[in-house]
Amino acid sequence: MTTRGKTSPAPETDPEPNPHDIARAIVLRQLTMAPRSRRQLEDKLRAKGCDDEVARVVLDRMQEVGLVDDEAYAGMVVRSQQAGRGLARRSLAQELRRKGVDDETAQEALEQIDDESERDRAQALVTKKLRSMHGLDAAVQTRRLAGMLARKGYPSALSWSVIRAAVSDAPEHQRD
């Protein structure tokens, strides 16, 4: 078709987008927002309608080049959640399971927390919380501290030991 001596270009047909490229773009976008476990990425790809085989191929490649590493991810989650939120091993294990990290990988990551560091973290949490509870009865303080440590996943024997020592050492509960 010509218009005054010019020919109009033939309409271009858009080739079908490569599903691997789409999946790769989704994974990279997710990883730029925050680290993710392989299962979290699989779930995201499935939610976006990506074929399971395409997702497997793309995630295998991402794992080969080191962009998807559940061991490193689990270690990062354990370090950050214990330091930031003061979570105990039990709560950290639940958090890792919720994020799709397998039990063996989670167990390896949790081995970096020993009994002494867990006790130290519980003591630090109790000391910090006690500062805001000045003037309350010892029983009330004990109950509130036990609830806080239980929510963070600390074993009851450890919790009671730390709480008893902290409350009895508090200046307001010292005998004159």
Side-chain angles (χ1 to χ4, degrees), residues 80-172:
S80 68
Q81 295 295 316
Q82 189 200 26
R85 294 176 52 203
L87 297 183
R89 284 181 280 212
R90 184 174 57 199
S91 290
L92 289 167
Q94 290 173 341
E95 183 80 9
L96 290 171
R97 197 173 302 116
R98 188 179 62 75
K99 292 179 181 277
V101 175
D102 66 82
D103 290 338
E104 184 179 323
T105 303
Q107 193 58 43
E108 289 174 17
L110 291 168
E111 287 174 1
Q112 58 187 298
I113 302 173
D114 61 3
D115 291 342
E116 188 177 326
S117 66
E118 192 168 53
R119 180 179 205 75
D120 291 345
R121 188 65 183 132
Q123 285 174 327
L125 289 168
V126 165
T127 301
K128 181 179 178 185
K129 184 72 173 174
L130 262 176
R131 281 182 259 170
S132 68
M133 300 169 70
H134 184 72
L136 294 176
D137 183 60
V140 173
Q141 290 177 339
T142 300
R143 186 179 66 245
R144 290 183 182 178
L145 292 168
M148 176 204 49
L149 291 178
R151 286 187 298 277
K152 292 186 179 288
Y154 287 91
S156 61
L158 171 70
S159 297
W160 288 115
S161 168
V162 169
I163 292 167
R164 267 194 302 272
V167 170
S168 68
D169 291 346
E172 63 195 79

Side-chain angles (χ1 to χ4, degrees), residues 3 7 13 43 51 54 111 121 127 154 173:
T3 310
T7 57
T13 58
D43 292 345
D51 180 63
V54 170
E111 287 174 1
R121 188 65 183 132
T127 301
Y154 287 91
H173 300 300

Side-chain angles (χ1 to χ4, degrees), residues 24-41:
R24 191 174 305 108
I26 292 169
V27 169
L28 290 173
R29 194 172 325 113
Q30 288 296 307
L31 291 173
T32 57
M33 291 189 287
R36 308 258 194 249
S37 71
R38 182 179 175 116
R39 192 174 103 214
Q40 287 176 308
L41 294 169

